[in-house]
Each structure stands twice: as structure tokens, then as C-alpha cells.
Amino acid sequence: MAPKSSLKSASKTSISNPGKQTSFSADSPSKTTKPKSIPKPVKEPEVTSEKNGGSDAEDDDHLYGFSTDEDDSSDEDAVAGEDVDIGGLPTVAKDDATVKRKLEKAKRHPTQDRGVIYMGCLPHGFYEDQLKGYLSQFGDITRLRISRNKKTGRSKHYGFVEFDSASVAQIVAETMDNYLLMGHILKCKIIPKEKVHPELWVGANKKWKAIPRDQIVRKEHNKPRTQESMRKAEKRLIQRENEKKRKLAELGIKYDFDAVSYKKKLKTVAS
């Protein structure tokens, strides 16, 4: 029989937790270990988005073609002249038999009303000429405009296209919506007449030209000043300095900056 000292440890089942085993030494009195308390996970408060609730109402009252530069998604990486060659792109109107059959039916029964569609998520380099050349496979395009940044002129990757037939516009919207083109999933929707903004087609069918704003500002800044313009600038400077002196005096601050202030030049009298 082995000596008592050779019994190092034995295992026993905890009374409070039958599934947990604890160890004890033969030389020391047995101690019941308390089970460790497991902290309960704290639930994070659910954040409800207020925007989702009002999105439907905003969409109902939205006028297409009216936008600002606040949410600008302009192409910051685009390079001037980096246009897409549409010759290698697939022609849906010819390759898809269903679309081809719908277009033939629409041509046999043309409508008098024109149809306007919205196209979003346009790829880089897909601008006015490319968009018109690609969508012309469906039918005749009367007007087209791509939204651009007013300051930089870069594309915002969405535009508006007007077809001469509303039925053709409906076919284009159904065909090109969620269509994968050059790695971009296009968004194409038909726009009802009452939702079209009155100034939607301002600047339509015009090729955008880069405006050299830096050159214009530089030329304006470096132009020779006339005596009248210099006199006006001098008057403005003196008025600003007098206003500063008045505000300091109202605050009880005594500060003399006449040594560095602008002084009116004395008129030279020709002898």
C-alpha cells in the first residue's frame, strides 16, 4: 500500500456545481471552492435610424434633377480625357431576344409622350458622349444631361436621359436597372412627369469644357490697378482700421498701433 504522503491530489465533485471538478491535497483539509460568477453580457442599446423612417416621405416629395454640392460624389480620381471606348461593350438591345422583341413592339406602337429616366452609379469615364452612344441602341435620345460639380466640373456619376418615346424609356429602365457595367451596378429608374424638376434640362446636350479658374483668378489678381481702384482700396483699409480702434476703445483697451497702421498717402502737388 502506498504511503499517505505519496497521494498528491485527488479529484472530487463540487456540491454546488456537479459538473465542475476541484482538486485537494491529502495533507491539507478539504475546502469547498465556490463557483466563479460569470458576468452577464450587457446588451447594447438599439439605435433606431430616424432617416429610414422618413425616406419614403422624402422620395415622394423629391423632384428629380434638383441637387446641391453638399453630398457630392464627384470623381476625384478622374483624369481629363480618360474616356471609355463603348465599342467593346455588350449590346443588350441586340443580344437579348426578350428586349429586342419589346423594342420592336414599341416601335410598331409609338407613343406621343417622351420618357425621362434617371441613371445612377455611372462608371469612371462614362460621360455625355459615351452615355448617349451606348443608350442609342434602344432608341432615339432627345436630351441628355450628366450632373457635374459646379466648381470642378467633375462628374457626379448620375445623369438624366430623355427618349422620344415613353414606352422605350420604360424598357430601358427595366433592362438597365441593376445591370453590371464595367464593375458598376447601374441604377435606372423611370421618372414621372410630375417629378421632373423644371430646370432639369438646363445645360443639356452640351459638351462640358474645363474652365481654367486658376488662370482667371490669377489674371484678375495681377491686372494693373487704376487710380480709382487704388483709392477705393485705400479707403477700405482706413475704414477697417478705424473700426478696430473703435471696438478696442469700447472694451477699454488702450492700444496704439499707429506706427504700423496704414496711413493715407498725401497728394503730391505738381509745381
Side-chain angles (χ1 to χ4, degrees):
M1 185 174 179
K4 220 175 194 183
S5 60
S6 63
L7 298 173
K8 295 292 182 183
S9 62
S11 63
K12 70 174 183 177
T13 305
S14 174
I15 298 171
S16 60
N17 190 359
K20 183 180 179 183
Q21 289 187 349
T22 57
S23 61
F24 67 94
S25 175
D27 298 333
S28 60
S30 62
K31 294 181 181 179
T32 305
T33 58
K34 293 182 180 180
K36 294 181 179 179
S37 60
I38 302 172
K40 293 182 180 180
V42 181
K43 269 190 176 182
E44 295 184 358
E46 295 182 358
V47 181
T48 57
S49 176
E50 297 178 357
K51 293 183 179 179
N52 295 335
S55 60
D56 296 337
E58 289 176 1
D59 292 341
D60 294 340
D61 299 334
H62 177 68
L63 288 176
Y64 288 87
F66 179 76
S67 63
T68 60
D69 291 336
E70 293 178 1
D71 300 330
D72 185 15
S73 59
S74 58
D75 184 7
E76 298 296 338
D77 300 329
V79 181
E82 189 181 341
D83 299 335
V84 176
D85 184 15
I86 61 174
L89 298 177
T91 53
V92 187
K94 296 180 181 178
D95 300 339
D96 196 326
T98 306
V99 177
K100 189 176 181 180
R101 187 168 58 253
K102 288 181 180 179
L103 289 173
E104 289 175 355
K105 185 179 178 180
K107 288 178 181 178
R108 287 195 301 268
H109 305 283
T111 58
Q112 299 296 329
D113 297 336
R114 295 181 178 182
V116 181
I117 63 170
Y118 159 83
M119 292 205 70
C121 301
L122 296 174
H124 301 285
F126 214 78
Y127 305 135
E128 287 85 357
D129 293 341
Q130 290 75 23
L131 186 60
K132 185 174 183 179
Y134 185 73
L135 294 182
S136 296
Q137 60 179 308
F138 297 98
D140 295 333
I141 296 173
T142 53
R143 287 184 289 188
L144 180 145
R145 183 177 74 86
I146 288 181
S147 184
R148 291 181 176 272
N149 188 297
K150 293 179 181 178
K151 294 181 180 179
T152 63
R154 295 185 184 275
S155 171
K156 293 185 180 180
H157 302 290
Y158 69 88
F160 304 90
V161 185
E162 183 187 61
F163 288 89
D164 62 347
S165 174
S167 57
V168 173
Q170 184 66 39
I171 295 170
V172 175
E174 294 173 356
T175 306
M176 300 306 295
D177 190 31
N178 293 327
Y179 185 81
L180 182 63
L181 181 68
M182 299 172 57
H184 289 249
I185 298 177
L186 302 180
K187 297 297 178 184
C188 191
K189 304 292 180 185
I190 194 79
I191 304 177
K193 286 184 177 180
E194 61 273 9
K195 295 290 183 180
V196 177
H197 194 270
E199 298 181 358
L200 173 63
W201 302 114
V202 174
N205 297 338
K206 291 182 180 179
K207 192 171 182 180
W208 176 80
K209 294 182 180 179
I211 301 174
R213 295 187 179 274
D214 54 342
Q215 297 180 12
I216 295 173
V217 173
R218 191 184 305 114
K219 187 177 179 180
E220 180 68 20
H221 180 76
N222 295 335
K223 70 177 183 181
R225 306 293 175 183
T226 61
Q227 292 293 332
E228 182 65 23
S229 62
M230 292 174 67
R231 190 159 43 250
K232 288 181 179 179
E234 185 181 76
K235 185 178 179 181
R236 285 195 302 268
L237 287 172
I238 294 173
Q239 286 178 352
R240 289 174 188 172
E241 290 182 358
N242 293 335
E243 185 67 18
K244 289 178 183 178
K245 291 178 182 178
R246 185 185 63 79
K247 289 181 179 179
L248 289 173
E250 288 178 356
L251 295 172
I253 300 173
K254 295 181 180 180
Y255 185 79
D256 185 16
F257 51 91
D258 291 337
V260 294
S261 62
Y262 185 84
K263 293 182 179 60
K264 193 173 182 179
K265 294 179 180 179
L266 298 174
K267 292 182 180 179
T268 56
V269 180
S271 56

